[in-house]
Amino acid sequence: MKRRDFVTGVLAGSALLAGCNEQTADNSSTTAKPKKVIKWKMVTTWPKDFPGLGTGANNLARLIGEMSGGRLQVKVYGAKDLVPAFGVFDAVAQGTTELGHGAAYYWKGKSEAAQFFTSVPFGMTAQEMNAWLYYGDGLKLWTELYKPFGIVPFPAGNMGVQMGGWFNKEINTVADLNGLKMRIPGLGAEVLKKLGGTPVNLPGGELFTSLQSGAIDATEWVGPYNDLAFGFYKIAKHYYYPGWHEPGSVLECIVNEKALKALPEDLQVIVESACKIVNQDMLAEFTAKNNQALDTLVNVHKVDLRPFPNDVLKQFLSLSMEAAADVSNRDPNAKKIFDSFMGFRSQVMNYHKISEQAFLNARSPV
Ligand code: CA
């Protein structure tokens, strides 16, 4: 009985609606308003379709398209397709493209403070960074920092704790870093400088050939999943852990502010929400795939996997805190961000000592 009532109701409703449509059709010629399609471009700092990073940008574009029912369509360009890898920020600031996918620490030449929004050596993990960004002052401060450039940032990806990098020689003491020419971005670069090394900032796509030609002696990139894809095991002998310099690097989706504000409100929410989905999804992907890739590196390619010595890590730690404080002392924008970052870090560290850390230690007793 109920079902029949429901069906009858629906039919009656349809008839009513049909009646309405006819009426509207009589009164106006604009019944079926054509869907307005907006087309955007996204430039990225990654090679096109690169596992995890490039595909993360593709996912973001796909989600925006699907969630908007095709009203906002995004075409993704790999590094160098439209602009060079490190030209992404300018392209979005100038409105050449509406969207960019990359990492804030690449823009330390624009503002040193940008580095705090990717990763600080010995800073915070992915989980902690997201907590600071979404529920602390992180994203608010980041938005303020990019405002003068006409750019709105959203967190859009994370890889978890990275690896320490690929080296052709053993690192047994900090003296082994003296004179080392290494690709390392962000504040980790400042630490290497303090130890007498020469940091180089290169986009991912140029690392293999630079290492092969001897232009650099060592490189860090991301973790097993991405490092395997670039084939560094073919050139460098030793693979060090942990990635002290990038414990939870946040990727960014940057949006031209004018273009974003010109969107209908629901599409603005879709852009923001799609970024949030990709931010979480990428972390899950990397967590799953790093395990498999590490197994291949060690068991198939016979990579020499080793931890940095404790004394070296201790030195990295104290110089990292110094490097972050240096930036904050040089730049008033950075000071505000540094204070917020370090304040949140110390609070979350207190809690994680008795939760995440205590659990992980208990799960793998030494
Ligand atoms: Ca890295």
Side-chain angles (χ1 to χ4, degrees):
M1 277 301 283
K2 272 185 182 163
R3 184 176 151 73
R4 199 165 58 211
D5 288 345
F6 173 71
V7 173
T8 314
V10 169
L11 288 174
S14 305
L16 257 174
L17 278 174
C20 284
N21 282 343
E22 275 163 28
Q23 254 188 352
T24 321
D26 287 341
N27 297 338
S28 145
S29 57
T30 57
T31 42
K33 209 173 157 193
K35 182 169 72 178
K36 191 184 168 207
V37 174
I38 300 165
K39 292 193 174 180
W40 275 12
K41 297 188 189 89
M42 186 198 294
V43 285
T44 66
T45 58
W46 331 113
K48 180 95 177 113
D49 303 329
F50 190 75
L53 306 174
T55 55
N58 295 347
N59 277 341
L60 179 55
R62 179 186 54 80
L63 277 169
I64 292 173
E66 289 177 5
M67 289 164 82
S68 68
R71 286 161 59 217
L72 180 54
Q73 296 174 8
V74 179
K75 187 168 162 84
V76 180
Y77 295 85
K80 290 188 198 162
D81 287 351
L82 215 57
V83 297
F86 292 159
V88 166
F89 191 90
D90 283 337
V92 177
Q94 288 154 10
T96 314
T97 70
E98 294 81 5
L99 294 169
H101 193 253
Y105 62 15
Y106 291 146
W107 324 125
K108 65 180 177 186
K110 304 279 179 201
S111 168
E112 278 204 278
Q115 300 171 98
F116 290 101
F117 299 110
T118 307
S119 203
V120 169
F122 293 96
M124 295 196 267
T125 63
Q127 190 178 341
E128 294 165 350
M129 278 301 282
N130 284 331
W132 177 57
L133 290 167
Y134 295 127
Y135 287 93
D137 287 335
L139 188 53
K140 190 180 117 241
L141 291 168
W142 194 1
T143 306
E144 275 173 23
L145 185 74
Y146 279 7
K147 180 100 182 145
F149 300 98
I151 286 180
V152 180
F154 295 111
N158 204 304
M159 296 136 287
V161 179
Q162 298 201 358
M163 287 292 285
W166 298 84
F167 296 76
N168 269 319
K169 65 171 195 174
E170 289 182 20
I171 305 298
N172 294 316
T173 69
V174 283
D176 294 321
L177 295 156
N178 190 19
L180 191 86
K181 204 167 176 192
M182 178 175 180
R183 185 272 183 181
I184 180 168
L187 285 166
E190 304 305 317
V191 174
L192 183 64
K193 231 186 259 174
K194 285 174 187 282
L195 291 165
T198 308
V200 187
N201 194 16
L202 290 169
E206 292 171 28
L207 298 183
F208 187 88
T209 46
S210 302
L211 198 58
Q212 197 173 36
S213 70
I216 51 175
D217 308 312
T219 188
E220 70 76 56
W221 175 226
V222 178
Y225 177 35
N226 280 173
D227 295 5
L228 174 66
F230 267 152
F232 298 133
Y233 63 89
K234 294 175 197 158
I235 321 166
K237 215 165 148 192
H238 311 293
Y239 195 24
Y240 276 92
Y241 67 89
W244 56 276
H245 61 301
E246 292 195 67
S249 289
V250 176
L251 303 185
E252 64 180 11
C253 171
I254 48 177
V255 193
N256 178 277
E257 193 183 4
K258 272 191 201 143
L260 183 68
K261 296 277 156 69
L263 288 179
E265 232 165 79
D266 62 331
L267 292 186
Q268 293 186 34
V269 175
I270 284 173
V271 170
E272 183 180 355
S273 305
C275 287
K276 217 164 186 175
I277 293 171
V278 167
N279 192 40
Q280 191 56 43
D281 183 69
M282 196 185 288
L283 182 61
E285 180 187 3
F286 272 84
T287 305
K289 298 205 172 155
N290 273 332
N291 307 324
Q292 300 159 6
L294 183 66
D295 187 66
T296 306
L297 285 170
V298 172
N299 295 315
V300 179
H301 301 302
K302 308 293 178 202
V303 162
D304 173 45
L305 178 70
R306 51 173 71 201
F308 285 114
N310 276 335
D311 286 349
V312 172
L313 283 174
K314 274 186 199 154
Q315 192 73 15
F316 282 158
L317 172 59
S318 76
L319 293 176
S320 294
M321 295 299 106
E322 213 179 281
D326 290 347
V327 173
S328 133
N329 292 333
R330 276 196 292 265
D331 173 354
N333 274 332
K335 169 141 183 32
K336 202 168 147 193
I337 296 163
F338 171 84
D339 290 346
S340 167
F341 184 100
M342 294 308 269
F344 198 94
R345 175 181 176 271
S346 84
Q347 279 184 356
V348 83
M349 266 174 75
N350 277 342
Y351 175 61
H352 274 175
K353 258 182 208 152
I354 59 129
S355 54
E356 307 289 319
Q357 195 173 339
F359 169 71
L360 291 175
N361 290 343
R363 195 171 66 176
S364 314
V366 187

